């Protein structure tokens, strides 16, 4: 097959096929998307572990002792931030006893500082409002434009920790950005029908994806973030979905599908259940993950 016929992310993967090598930097990320981005710019010069597994809700990761052991060996910790990991990361970080990756150290990288954050509350928040993040919506990795900025920030930090391989990190980052930019053009064209479309979501996860693709989230199945829906709330969502002529009900695969399916059936919509992150355990790249997400949203190829 001619290389011209391969998609950019396939070419990118081919660039970095290499033999066994000793990793220069040990990186722990809190979620698989960050692991995938780190691998894209770090290549064989990094060893990456994701604390959350693919298919696991990143709000509720099991704080196993093995994760503290991973942190104890890390040279760099990359986290989503905005309190996404507040329920499980702090005790693991304390238990790691690793000064290199504590807040403020060179090995601590809060990726939310690399992007423009949406939905920052303008008034005080409390637990009665549900799982509201005081610093803003933490689901920015659903927007590949912002993910590109995160990849660049990770590469800069890797180069600071491991200056011997700085040129390699820069070269991989340039290749990743070129592949990402090419795919952004294709994805935007492929998903043009979604612009302005009304969508029902389960959780407040999709603000950044909507910001990129231009669809409108008109209702959420959770009455408040993190609060399971009641029958009365589901009925209200059905009413909104019918009134808005909603054709997509969108949710991550780690949420139950019963209520989403009920809304979709009663509103004449399509239930779209997608993985919440890149399946790095299966070798999936971040670009492949976004590609699958776009395909699911537009209803197949």
């Amino acid at each position: 097959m001619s290389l011209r016929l391969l998609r950019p992310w396939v070419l990118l993967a081919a660039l970095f096929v290499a033999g066994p090598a000793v990793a220069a930097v040990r990186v722990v990320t809190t979620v698989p998307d960050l692991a995938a981005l780190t691998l894209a710019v770090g290549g064989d010069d990094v060893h990456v572990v994701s604390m959350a597994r693919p298919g696991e809700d990143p709000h509720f990761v099991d704080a196993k002792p093995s994760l503290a052991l991973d942190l104890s060996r890390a040279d760099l910790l990359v986290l989503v931030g905005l309190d996404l990991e507040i329920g499980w990361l702090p005790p693991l970080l304390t238990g790691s006893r690793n000064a290199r990756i504590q807040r403020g150290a060179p090995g601590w990288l809060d990726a939310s500082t690399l992007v423009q954050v949406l939905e920052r509350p303008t008034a005080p928040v409390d637990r009665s409002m549900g799982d509201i993040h005081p610093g803003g919506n933490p689901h920015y990795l659903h927007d590949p434009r912002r993910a590109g900025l995160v990849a660049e920030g990770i590469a800069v930090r890797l180069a600071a920790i491991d200056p011997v391989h700085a040129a390699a990190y820069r070269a991989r980052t340039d290749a990743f950005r070129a592949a990402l930019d090419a795919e952004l053009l294709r994805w935007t064209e492929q998903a043009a029908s979604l612009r302005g479309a009304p969508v029902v979501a389960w959780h407040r996860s999709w603000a950044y994806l909507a910001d990129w693709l231009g669809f409108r989230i008109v209702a959420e199945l959770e009455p408040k973030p993190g609060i399971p829906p009641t029958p009365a709330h589901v009925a209200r969502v059905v009413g909104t979905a019918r009134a808005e002529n909603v054709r997509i009900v969108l949710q991550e695969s780690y949420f139950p599908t019963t209520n989403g399916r009920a809304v979709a059936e009663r509103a004449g919509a399509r239930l779209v259940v997608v993985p919440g992150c890149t399946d790095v355990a299966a070798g999936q790249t971040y670009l492949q993950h976004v590609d699958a997400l776009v395909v699911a949203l537009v209803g197949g190829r």
Side-chain angles (χ1 to χ4, degrees):
M1 179 182 290
S2 168
L3 289 179
R4 291 194 299 271
L5 299 179
L6 294 176
R7 287 189 179 169
W9 48 259
V10 178
L11 289 171
L12 179 65
L15 285 174
F16 306 128
V17 175
V22 177
V25 182
R26 292 162 293 185
V27 184
V28 173
T29 69
T30 55
V31 299
D33 282 347
L34 289 174
L37 294 173
T38 303
L39 286 168
V41 299
D44 290 329
D45 296 316
V46 297
H47 173 73
V48 185
V49 173
S50 172
M51 301 177 78
R53 300 185 304 273
E56 185 175 25
D57 186 343
H59 297 86
F60 304 107
V61 172
D62 184 10
K64 298 175 293 187
S66 60
L67 297 181
L69 181 60
D70 289 332
L71 288 171
S72 73
R73 299 167 174 166
D75 300 302
L76 175 63
L77 168 64
V78 188
L79 62 149
V80 173
L82 300 173
D83 285 350
L84 179 75
E85 304 98 342
I86 192 66
W88 54 273
L89 181 59
L92 290 170
L93 198 57
T94 299
S96 75
R97 301 182 183 275
N98 183 351
R100 294 187 301 273
I101 61 169
Q102 301 300 318
R103 184 186 296 271
W108 165 281
L109 179 56
D110 181 342
S112 71
T113 63
L114 303 170
V115 302
Q116 181 183 12
V117 175
L118 300 179
E119 297 183 350
R120 291 188 188 273
T122 57
V125 300
D126 57 54
R127 296 304 300 173
S128 69
M129 301 167 68
D131 185 20
I132 298 290
H133 296 271
N137 191 313
H139 300 286
Y140 52 84
L141 293 170
H142 288 318
D143 179 352
R145 301 170 304 177
R146 286 174 167 89
L149 297 174
V150 171
E152 290 185 349
I154 292 171
V156 169
R157 188 62 61 88
L158 287 173
I161 292 173
D162 177 28
V164 171
H165 296 103
Y169 296 135
R170 183 68 259 168
R172 293 190 195 98
T173 303
D174 290 344
F176 176 75
R177 284 309 309 246
L180 174 60
D181 289 345
E183 289 292 71
L184 279 168
L185 291 174
R186 185 179 66 83
W187 290 328
T188 302
E189 180 179 352
Q190 185 178 359
S193 63
L194 296 175
R195 189 158 297 279
V199 171
V200 167
W202 176 279
H203 181 67
R204 194 171 293 177
S205 308
W206 303 107
Y208 294 94
L209 187 66
D211 183 60
W212 169 41
L213 295 179
F215 60 81
R216 298 182 297 114
I217 299 173
V218 298
E220 289 160 351
L221 273 160
E222 290 179 332
K224 298 178 181 179
I227 306 300
T230 63
H233 180 72
V234 172
R236 287 192 291 271
V237 171
V238 170
T240 300
R242 287 173 172 170
E244 293 279 355
N245 196 29
V246 164
R247 290 293 173 262
I248 294 176
V249 177
L250 177 62
Q251 68 171 85
E252 294 93 330
S253 56
Y254 47 73
F255 291 124
T257 59
T258 302
N259 288 308
R261 183 171 292 107
V263 171
E265 290 175 353
R266 292 165 64 183
R270 180 167 55 94
L271 177 63
V272 178
V273 180
V274 296
C277 64
T278 307
D279 191 353
V280 288
Q284 187 182 47
T285 69
Y286 177 80
L287 299 186
Q288 289 170 335
H289 164 63
V290 177
D291 188 62
L293 176 58
V294 172
V295 169
L297 282 169
V298 300
R301 297 190 185 278

